[in-house]
Amino acid sequence: MDLFGKTVVITGSTSGIGLGIARGMASANANVVINGFGSTAEIEHEIAALEALGKGQVAYDPADMSKPDQIVAMIHAAEARFGSVDIVVNNAGIQTVEPVETFPPERWDLIIAINMNSAFHTTRAALPGMKKRGWGRIINISSAHGLVASPFKSAYVTAKHGITGFTKTVALETAQNGVTVNAICPGYVLTPLVEKQIPETAAARGITEEQVKRDVLLAAQWTKKFVTVEQLSGVALFLCSDAAENITGVSLPVDGGWTAA
Ligand code: NAD
Protein backbone atom coordinates (compact mmCIF):
# COMPACT_ATOMS: atom_id res chain seq x y z
CA MET A 1 0.00 0.00 0.00
CA ASP A 2 1.35 3.41 -0.93
CA LEU A 3 -0.05 6.47 0.85
CA PHE A 4 2.60 8.84 -0.50
CA GLY A 5 1.18 12.39 -0.61
CA LYS A 6 -1.56 11.60 1.90
CA THR A 7 -1.55 12.93 5.45
CA VAL A 8 -2.78 11.06 8.52
CA VAL A 9 -3.46 12.52 11.95
CA ILE A 10 -3.42 9.90 14.71
CA THR A 11 -4.60 11.00 18.15
CA GLY A 12 -2.87 9.47 21.17
CA SER A 13 -0.01 8.05 19.13
CA THR A 14 3.00 8.45 21.43
CA SER A 15 2.30 4.98 22.84
CA GLY A 16 0.61 1.63 22.29
CA ILE A 17 -1.87 1.11 19.44
CA GLY A 18 -1.62 4.68 18.10
CA LEU A 19 2.16 4.43 17.81
CA GLY A 20 1.80 1.06 16.07
CA ILE A 21 -0.59 2.58 13.54
CA ALA A 22 1.78 5.55 13.08
CA ARG A 23 4.55 3.07 12.21
CA GLY A 24 2.30 1.34 9.68
CA MET A 25 1.24 4.62 8.05
CA ALA A 26 4.82 5.94 7.96
CA SER A 27 5.97 2.68 6.36
CA ALA A 28 3.27 3.23 3.71
CA ASN A 29 4.90 6.64 2.95
CA ALA A 30 2.13 8.84 4.42
CA ASN A 31 2.88 12.12 6.16
CA VAL A 32 2.10 11.40 9.80
CA VAL A 33 1.04 13.74 12.61
CA ILE A 34 1.54 12.09 15.96
CA ASN A 35 -0.13 13.36 19.14
CA GLY A 36 -0.17 12.48 22.82
CA PHE A 37 1.86 12.89 25.96
CA GLY A 38 5.52 12.11 26.46
CA SER A 39 8.90 13.70 27.13
CA THR A 40 10.46 15.88 24.44
CA ALA A 41 13.36 13.43 24.11
CA GLU A 42 11.03 10.44 23.62
CA ILE A 43 8.93 12.30 21.07
CA GLU A 44 11.96 13.52 19.10
CA HIS A 45 13.27 9.95 19.08
CA GLU A 46 9.91 8.65 17.77
CA ILE A 47 9.71 11.32 15.04
CA ALA A 48 13.16 10.36 13.75
CA ALA A 49 12.32 6.64 13.92
CA LEU A 50 9.03 7.16 12.04
CA GLU A 51 10.66 9.34 9.36
CA ALA A 52 13.21 6.59 8.74
CA LEU A 53 10.41 4.15 7.85
CA GLY A 54 9.15 5.81 4.64
CA LYS A 55 9.10 8.77 2.29
CA GLY A 56 6.62 10.93 4.25
CA GLN A 57 7.28 13.65 6.80
CA VAL A 58 6.40 13.35 10.47
CA ALA A 59 5.15 16.09 12.80
CA TYR A 60 4.09 16.14 16.44
CA ASP A 61 1.11 18.08 17.82
CA PRO A 62 0.69 18.29 21.62
CA ALA A 63 -3.08 18.97 21.51
CA ASP A 64 -4.96 17.73 24.56
CA MET A 65 -7.86 15.56 23.36
CA SER A 66 -10.03 16.81 26.21
CA LYS A 67 -9.83 20.37 24.82
CA PRO A 68 -12.01 21.00 21.73
CA ASP A 69 -10.20 24.19 20.67
CA GLN A 70 -6.82 22.41 20.72
CA ILE A 71 -8.26 19.52 18.69
CA VAL A 72 -9.57 21.81 15.95
CA ALA A 73 -6.28 23.74 15.93
CA MET A 74 -4.38 20.44 15.48
CA ILE A 75 -6.38 19.53 12.35
CA HIS A 76 -5.99 23.02 10.89
CA ALA A 77 -2.24 23.06 11.63
CA ALA A 78 -1.83 19.71 9.84
CA GLU A 79 -3.76 21.03 6.83
CA ALA A 80 -1.62 24.17 6.78
CA ARG A 81 1.64 22.22 6.99
CA PHE A 82 0.87 19.34 4.62
CA GLY A 83 -1.93 20.74 2.46
CA SER A 84 -4.54 18.20 3.53
CA VAL A 85 -5.70 15.80 6.23
CA ASP A 86 -6.80 12.69 4.36
CA ILE A 87 -6.95 10.12 7.15
CA VAL A 88 -7.90 10.64 10.78
CA VAL A 89 -7.34 7.88 13.30
CA ASN A 90 -9.23 8.64 16.50
CA ASN A 91 -7.26 6.55 18.93
CA ALA A 92 -6.57 8.53 22.14
CA GLY A 93 -8.19 6.83 25.08
CA ILE A 94 -7.97 6.43 28.83
CA GLN A 95 -9.54 4.01 31.27
CA THR A 96 -10.69 3.87 34.90
CA VAL A 97 -11.84 0.62 36.50
CA GLU A 98 -14.22 1.37 39.37
CA PRO A 99 -17.75 0.38 40.43
CA VAL A 100 -20.30 2.92 39.26
CA GLU A 101 -21.29 4.06 42.78
CA THR A 102 -17.72 5.13 43.55
CA PHE A 103 -16.76 6.21 40.00
CA PRO A 104 -15.26 9.73 40.31
CA PRO A 105 -17.48 12.14 38.30
CA GLU A 106 -14.46 14.08 37.01
CA ARG A 107 -12.98 10.84 35.59
CA TRP A 108 -16.35 10.09 33.94
CA ASP A 109 -16.29 13.48 32.22
CA LEU A 110 -12.65 13.10 31.14
CA ILE A 111 -13.18 9.60 29.68
CA ILE A 112 -16.26 10.75 27.73
CA ALA A 113 -14.31 13.79 26.50
CA ILE A 114 -11.16 11.94 25.37
CA ASN A 115 -12.60 8.58 24.28
CA MET A 116 -15.75 9.88 22.57
CA ASN A 117 -16.09 13.65 22.14
CA SER A 118 -12.61 14.11 20.65
CA ALA A 119 -13.65 11.96 17.65
CA PHE A 120 -16.53 14.38 17.02
CA HIS A 121 -14.19 17.37 17.10
CA THR A 122 -11.51 15.89 14.78
CA THR A 123 -14.16 14.62 12.36
CA ARG A 124 -16.01 17.92 12.28
CA ALA A 125 -12.78 19.80 11.51
CA ALA A 126 -11.34 17.35 8.95
CA LEU A 127 -14.48 16.46 6.95
CA PRO A 128 -14.83 19.66 4.88
CA GLY A 129 -11.37 19.14 3.33
CA MET A 130 -11.99 15.42 2.76
CA LYS A 131 -15.32 16.13 1.05
CA LYS A 132 -13.76 18.85 -1.10
CA ARG A 133 -11.04 16.44 -2.30
CA GLY A 134 -13.51 13.53 -2.63
CA TRP A 135 -11.44 11.13 -0.54
CA GLY A 136 -11.10 10.50 3.17
CA ARG A 137 -10.80 7.81 5.80
CA ILE A 138 -11.94 8.17 9.38
CA ILE A 139 -10.88 5.27 11.54
CA ASN A 140 -12.12 5.18 15.12
CA ILE A 141 -10.23 2.92 17.49
CA SER A 142 -13.14 1.66 19.53
CA SER A 143 -13.00 -1.59 21.49
CA ALA A 144 -14.79 -4.88 22.01
CA HIS A 145 -16.30 -2.67 24.72
CA GLY A 146 -17.94 -0.71 21.90
CA LEU A 147 -20.05 -3.85 21.30
CA VAL A 148 -20.36 -5.57 24.69
CA ALA A 149 -19.92 -4.50 28.32
CA SER A 150 -17.75 -5.53 31.26
CA PRO A 151 -18.41 -4.49 34.85
CA PHE A 152 -16.58 -1.56 36.49
CA LYS A 153 -15.91 0.24 33.19
CA SER A 154 -19.09 2.30 32.90
CA ALA A 155 -17.57 5.46 31.41
CA TYR A 156 -15.32 3.57 28.97
CA VAL A 157 -18.08 1.24 27.76
CA THR A 158 -20.46 4.18 27.39
CA ALA A 159 -17.93 6.19 25.36
CA LYS A 160 -17.05 3.23 23.12
CA HIS A 161 -20.71 2.38 22.48
CA GLY A 162 -21.15 6.06 21.61
CA ILE A 163 -18.33 5.74 19.07
CA THR A 164 -20.20 2.85 17.43
CA GLY A 165 -23.23 5.10 16.88
CA PHE A 166 -21.11 8.05 15.77
CA THR A 167 -19.30 5.83 13.24
CA LYS A 168 -22.57 4.67 11.68
CA THR A 169 -24.08 8.15 11.54
CA VAL A 170 -21.11 9.91 9.93
CA ALA A 171 -20.71 6.98 7.50
CA LEU A 172 -24.21 7.69 6.20
CA GLU A 173 -23.62 11.43 6.02
CA THR A 174 -20.41 10.99 3.96
CA ALA A 175 -21.29 7.91 1.89
CA GLN A 176 -21.41 9.80 -1.42
CA ASN A 177 -18.30 11.89 -0.80
CA GLY A 178 -15.55 9.27 -1.17
CA VAL A 179 -15.18 9.19 2.61
CA THR A 180 -15.47 6.03 4.71
CA VAL A 181 -15.97 5.99 8.46
CA ASN A 182 -15.27 2.81 10.37
CA ALA A 183 -14.38 1.62 13.84
CA ILE A 184 -11.89 -1.07 14.79
CA CYS A 185 -12.89 -2.91 17.96
CA PRO A 186 -9.82 -4.57 19.47
CA GLY A 187 -9.88 -7.15 22.20
CA TYR A 188 -7.07 -6.93 24.74
CA VAL A 189 -3.70 -5.64 23.56
CA LEU A 190 -0.79 -5.54 26.02
CA THR A 191 -0.17 -1.78 25.99
CA PRO A 192 0.47 0.60 28.94
CA LEU A 193 -3.30 1.23 29.12
CA VAL A 194 -3.99 -2.44 29.83
CA GLU A 195 -0.95 -3.01 32.03
CA LYS A 196 -2.16 -0.16 34.27
CA GLN A 197 -5.62 -1.63 34.73
CA ILE A 198 -4.36 -5.07 35.81
CA PRO A 199 -3.74 -3.97 39.44
CA GLU A 200 -6.92 -1.84 39.39
CA THR A 201 -9.03 -4.80 38.23
CA ALA A 202 -7.32 -7.06 40.80
CA ALA A 203 -8.30 -4.60 43.56
CA ALA A 204 -11.86 -4.09 42.25
CA ARG A 205 -12.48 -7.86 42.02
CA GLY A 206 -10.38 -8.97 45.01
CA ILE A 207 -8.18 -11.35 42.94
CA THR A 208 -4.46 -11.57 42.01
CA GLU A 209 -2.90 -9.90 38.98
CA GLU A 210 -2.17 -13.31 37.39
CA GLN A 211 -5.85 -14.21 37.79
CA VAL A 212 -6.79 -10.92 36.08
CA LYS A 213 -4.67 -11.83 33.01
CA ARG A 214 -5.85 -15.44 32.81
CA ASP A 215 -9.43 -15.28 34.07
CA VAL A 216 -10.50 -11.74 33.12
CA LEU A 217 -8.51 -10.39 30.17
CA LEU A 218 -8.00 -13.56 28.13
CA ALA A 219 -11.10 -15.33 29.46
CA ALA A 220 -13.22 -13.84 26.68
CA GLN A 221 -10.55 -14.05 23.96
CA TRP A 222 -11.14 -17.49 22.44
CA THR A 223 -7.74 -17.52 20.73
CA LYS A 224 -6.15 -17.12 24.22
CA LYS A 225 -3.80 -14.60 22.64
CA PHE A 226 -3.48 -10.85 23.10
CA VAL A 227 -4.14 -8.81 19.93
CA THR A 228 -0.96 -7.06 18.69
CA VAL A 229 -0.46 -3.45 17.62
CA GLU A 230 0.97 -4.71 14.31
CA GLN A 231 -2.28 -6.56 13.57
CA LEU A 232 -4.31 -3.41 14.29
CA SER A 233 -2.01 -1.32 12.13
CA GLY A 234 -2.57 -3.81 9.28
CA VAL A 235 -6.34 -3.51 9.65
CA ALA A 236 -6.14 0.31 9.65
CA LEU A 237 -4.07 0.22 6.44
CA PHE A 238 -6.57 -2.17 4.86
CA LEU A 239 -9.37 0.32 5.62
CA CYS A 240 -7.38 2.92 3.65
CA SER A 241 -7.07 0.65 0.62
CA ASP A 242 -9.21 0.66 -2.53
CA ALA A 243 -10.51 -2.79 -1.56
CA ALA A 244 -12.19 -1.20 1.47
CA GLU A 245 -13.90 1.59 -0.49
CA ASN A 246 -17.34 0.07 0.11
CA ILE A 247 -16.77 -0.71 3.77
CA THR A 248 -18.31 2.12 5.78
CA GLY A 249 -20.20 2.38 9.05
CA VAL A 250 -18.69 -0.85 10.31
CA SER A 251 -17.45 -1.61 13.83
CA LEU A 252 -14.99 -4.39 13.06
CA PRO A 253 -14.05 -6.69 15.93
CA VAL A 254 -10.38 -7.74 16.11
CA ASP A 255 -10.88 -9.63 19.33
CA GLY A 256 -10.00 -13.31 19.01
CA GLY A 257 -13.68 -14.28 18.89
CA TRP A 258 -14.70 -12.41 22.08
CA THR A 259 -17.83 -10.75 20.68
CA ALA A 260 -18.82 -13.79 18.58
CA ALA A 261 -19.72 -15.76 21.70
P1 NAD B 1 -1.94 3.77 25.69
O1 NAD B 1 -2.19 4.21 27.10
O2 NAD B 1 -0.77 2.92 25.38
O3 NAD B 1 -1.87 5.04 24.74
C1 NAD B 1 -2.79 6.08 24.86
C2 NAD B 1 -2.31 7.27 24.08
O4 NAD B 1 -3.25 8.32 24.26
C3 NAD B 1 -0.94 7.81 24.56
O5 NAD B 1 -0.21 8.26 23.45
C4 NAD B 1 -1.36 8.99 25.44
O6 NAD B 1 -0.35 9.99 25.55
C5 NAD B 1 -2.56 9.48 24.67
N1 NAD B 1 -3.45 10.32 25.45
C6 NAD B 1 -4.02 10.09 26.64
N2 NAD B 1 -4.74 11.15 27.03
C7 NAD B 1 -4.63 12.07 26.04
C8 NAD B 1 -5.13 13.38 25.86
N3 NAD B 1 -5.92 13.97 26.78
N4 NAD B 1 -4.80 14.03 24.73
C9 NAD B 1 -3.99 13.48 23.81
N5 NAD B 1 -3.48 12.24 23.93
C10 NAD B 1 -3.81 11.55 25.04
O7 NAD B 1 -3.31 3.08 25.23
P2 NAD B 1 -3.64 2.00 24.10
O8 NAD B 1 -3.87 0.70 24.78
O9 NAD B 1 -2.69 2.07 22.98
O10 NAD B 1 -5.08 2.51 23.66
C11 NAD B 1 -5.30 3.25 22.50
C12 NAD B 1 -6.77 3.15 22.12
O11 NAD B 1 -7.11 1.79 21.90
C13 NAD B 1 -7.72 3.68 23.19
O12 NAD B 1 -8.78 4.37 22.61
C14 NAD B 1 -8.22 2.40 23.83
O13 NAD B 1 -9.49 2.56 24.40
C15 NAD B 1 -8.26 1.47 22.65
N6 NAD B 1 -8.22 0.06 22.99
C16 NAD B 1 -7.17 -0.48 23.67
C17 NAD B 1 -7.21 -1.83 23.98
C18 NAD B 1 -6.08 -2.51 24.71
O14 NAD B 1 -6.25 -3.67 25.09
N7 NAD B 1 -4.94 -1.87 24.91
C19 NAD B 1 -8.29 -2.62 23.61
C20 NAD B 1 -9.34 -2.02 22.93
C21 NAD B 1 -9.30 -0.69 22.62
Side-chain angles (χ1 to χ4, degrees):
M1 152 113 31
D2 194 1
L3 294 173
F4 186 67
K6 292 210 160 34
T7 299
V8 53
V9 175
I10 307 167
T11 71
S13 45
T14 51
S15 165
I17 295 168
L19 182 56
I21 293 174
R23 290 183 179 138
M25 296 284 173
S27 301
N29 300 317
N31 299 318
V32 178
V33 178
I34 58 167
N35 157 261
F37 302 133
S39 71
T40 309
E42 281 167 353
I43 288 164
E44 277 173 5
H45 172 79
E46 270 321 325
I47 290 173
L50 288 167
E51 277 189 332
L53 291 174
K55 289 187 248 164
Q57 294 174 47
V58 179
Y60 166 69
D61 193 304
D64 182 335
M65 289 303 110
S66 68
K67 305 273 186 331
D69 51 339
Q70 293 186 24
I71 298 171
V72 173
M74 174 182 73
I75 298 293
H76 291 161
E79 286 174 335
R81 172 160 178 177
F82 295 113
S84 65
V85 170
D86 308 284
I87 303 163
V88 173
V89 182
N90 290 305
N91 167 79
I94 58 168
Q95 174 67 286
T96 292
V97 181
E98 185 78 32
V100 70
E101 314 92 285
T102 50
F103 208 97
E106 61 281 6
R107 282 299 287 183
W108 172 279
D109 288 344
L110 196 60
I111 290 171
I112 298 295
I114 295 171
N115 297 17
M116 188 177 80
N117 295 349
S118 70
F120 161 69
H121 295 295
T122 57
T123 300
R124 193 168 166 272
L127 262 184
M130 291 180 179
K131 281 178 152 180
K132 203 166 92 190
R133 289 182 297 276
W135 196 93
R137 296 286 184 267
I138 295 174
I139 301 172
N140 298 320
I141 305 305
S142 179
S143 167
H145 285 123
L147 302 168
V148 296
S150 293
F152 313 124
K153 297 182 176 178
S154 54
Y156 186 90
V157 171
T158 300
K160 296 297 189 183
H161 274 66
I163 285 291
T164 302
F166 182 68
T167 300
K168 290 182 188 178
T169 306
V170 184
L172 300 184
E173 291 183 25
T174 58
Q176 294 180 28
N177 299 104
V179 176
T180 71
V181 188
N182 293 291
I184 298 174
C185 298
Y188 281 104
V189 191
L190 266 189
T191 65
L193 179 136
V194 166
E195 278 158 10
K196 176 180 160 288
Q197 61 185 281
I198 291 171
E200 290 177 3
T201 305
R205 295 188 182 224
I207 56 177
T208 67
E209 294 189 14
E210 270 318 300
Q211 284 172 315
V212 171
K213 274 195 193 165
R214 191 187 62 230
D215 300 337
V216 181
L217 301 184
L218 290 180
Q221 249 159 256
W222 287 69
T223 52
K224 298 296 161 203
K225 287 180 182 162
F226 285 99
V227 178
T228 69
V229 296
E230 290 78 13
Q231 289 163 355
L232 296 170
S233 169
V235 175
L237 280 170
F238 166 69
L239 289 173
C240 295
S241 72
D242 292 345
E245 193 180 281
N246 264 303
I247 300 176
T248 195
V250 159
S251 287
L252 178 65
V254 183
D255 64 2
W258 174 350
T259 54

